[in-house]
Amino acid sequence: MGRRPHTLPYATPAERAAARERLAAHLDSGRLIAYPTETVYGLGGLPRSDGIARLAALKARPAEKPFLLLARGADDLAGLAATPAARALAASFWPGPLTIVLDDPHGRWPAGVRATDGGVAVRVSPDPAVAAILEAASGPITSSSANRPGEAPARRVDDLEWVADAGEDVLVLDGGERQEAAPSTVVDCRGRPRIVRPGAVDEASIRGVLEPVEPLFDARAARGPEEGTVGTSFNLLFVCTGNTCRSPMAEGIARALLAERGWGHVEVSSAGVAAAVGAPASADAVDVAQSHGVDLGDHRARQLSRERVGWADLVLAMAPGHLDAVAHLGGADRAELVTAFLAGGGAAPAVPDPIGQGRPVYEATFATLREAISAVLDRLAPILSP
């Protein structure tokens, strides 16, 4: 065996803190590190062309086989399109041994981590050493197993001497021996989710998370690259007849409940299938909403349109006839009665139109909508909780 690689102790919080400055400078220079994860030692660097080229050469990796990314979370993944299924899986299994493949519709990530079909594989590791590395890097790093092609995974620093023999200036972070563990499960979420590689998270667990969200939300993934980008809004549209009573109250209630939950990334609007465009909310709707702290004074009626339906990730209608109108405009795959989330799988009733029936009926309608919308947000929580 030839020269040994440069090694830094990295097993304790104090050791990781002491290594931070040197580690950051090493990565910023485009060089590579070998580092401990919760499974085996990994090999990688910053997701830049210089570091990716070094890693590909060291691993003899063909260009069409990209490296995955280790990230701190969604904030590190600008530009990647996250379907609701991907959000649900991430909320359930990150940090943990689950790799999720997302689409990079605008080509923001470099070749070498972005596959030729636009997919980027990402994971959030629970290992404190990985977390410290990502903080030092101020973002994600590339990841590959730190072994020669065809050899067993590296579980201790002694397995990493080959990186120095390869002539690369690789900094080895010594986190001690890694215990044998299953690799991460890989799920491609760029459409209907599919397991690409079985691993530590079993299929039954993945299906258990996806079953509640697939029927209503998976269609979002097929609606174009502008939809579902990590960090952008989830769009919620309420629909009634004239957009002066039920749907404006629903819109106002949703805004209030979203503010309570701190979900600033969820956008809300409303429209009517037969709206008198520009008409204010009805006086009773305004008064009842105001008594509950919801201001409808600035509301003006909007007509339901194909553009508004296309904007929405989820359309919640007051009655079956409104669902028919939404379906006619291309939104059948992501529309439901607002009361369906209260029905528990049973028949969902319409929300009756209170127009002209006096304040007590408006009060009852407001209460029904508030209960239903709270149930909607509870159902969306695995996907949309920040």
Side-chain angles (χ1 to χ4, degrees), residues 333-362:
D333 58 359
R334 55 190 182 279
E336 185 57 274
L337 291 180
V338 66
T339 49
F341 294 82
L342 287 172
V351 179
D353 192 344
I355 190 74
Q357 298 189 58
R359 183 175 177 123
V361 176
Y362 275 87

Side-chain angles (χ1 to χ4, degrees), residues 239-252:
V239 176
C240 71
T241 303
N243 194 219
T244 59
C245 295
R246 290 168 290 179
S247 60
M249 286 196 292
E251 180 182 352

Side-chain angles (χ1 to χ4, degrees), residues 249 253 257 288-289 292 339 342 351 359-375:
M249 286 196 292
I253 290 167
L257 293 176
V288 168
H292 293 281
T339 49
L342 287 172
V351 179
R359 183 175 177 123
V361 176
Y362 275 87
E363 285 280 5
T365 300
F366 189 95
T368 296
L369 288 171
R370 183 166 54 188
E371 184 182 9
I373 293 165
S374 181

Side-chain angles (χ1 to χ4, degrees), residues 178-264:
R178 305 286 94 185
Q179 300 302 311
E180 187 169 353
S184 69
T185 302
V186 181
V187 180
D188 190 333
C189 285
R190 291 175 294 165
R192 190 168 185 85
R194 61 187 181 90
I195 296 175
V196 177
R197 182 186 73 188
V201 181
D202 61 80
E203 181 177 352
S205 297
I206 291 171
R207 290 190 180 279
V209 170
L210 293 179
E211 280 176 1
V213 299
E214 281 186 356
L216 283 179
F217 308 123
D218 267 4
R220 184 186 192 197
R223 287 166 48 216
E226 75 281 0
E227 301 293 341
T229 302
V230 169
T232 63
S233 65
F234 183 95
N235 301 327
L236 190 57
L237 178 67
F238 294 96
V239 176
C240 71
T241 303
N243 194 219
T244 59
C245 295
R246 290 168 290 179
S247 60
M249 286 196 292
E251 180 182 352
I253 290 167
R255 291 187 193 282
L257 293 176
L258 289 166
E260 290 177 6
R261 294 176 183 237
W263 293 7

Side-chain angles (χ1 to χ4, degrees), residues 123-152:
R123 186 165 78 86
V124 177
S125 170
D127 194 282
V130 174
I133 292 166
L134 298 179
E135 287 302 315
S138 298
I141 61 170
T142 55
S143 181
S144 178
S145 58
N147 55 280
R148 282 191 177 97
E151 294 187 357

Side-chain angles (χ1 to χ4, degrees), residues 107-119:
R108 297 183 184 179
W109 291 85
V113 298
R114 186 184 73 252
T116 53
D117 64 1

Side-chain angles (χ1 to χ4, degrees), residues 25-33 43-61 67 111-112 142 144 162-163 166-171:
H26 184 88
L27 288 169
D28 195 53
S29 71
R31 291 175 289 176
L32 305 177
I33 59 172
L43 187 66
L46 297 182
R48 304 186 323 207
S49 57
D50 50 356
I52 291 171
R54 283 191 170 99
L55 183 59
L58 190 59
K59 290 286 292 185
R61 188 79 156 243
F67 299 102
T142 55
S144 178
W162 73 275
V163 298
E168 279 290 345
D169 186 10
V170 178
L171 180 63

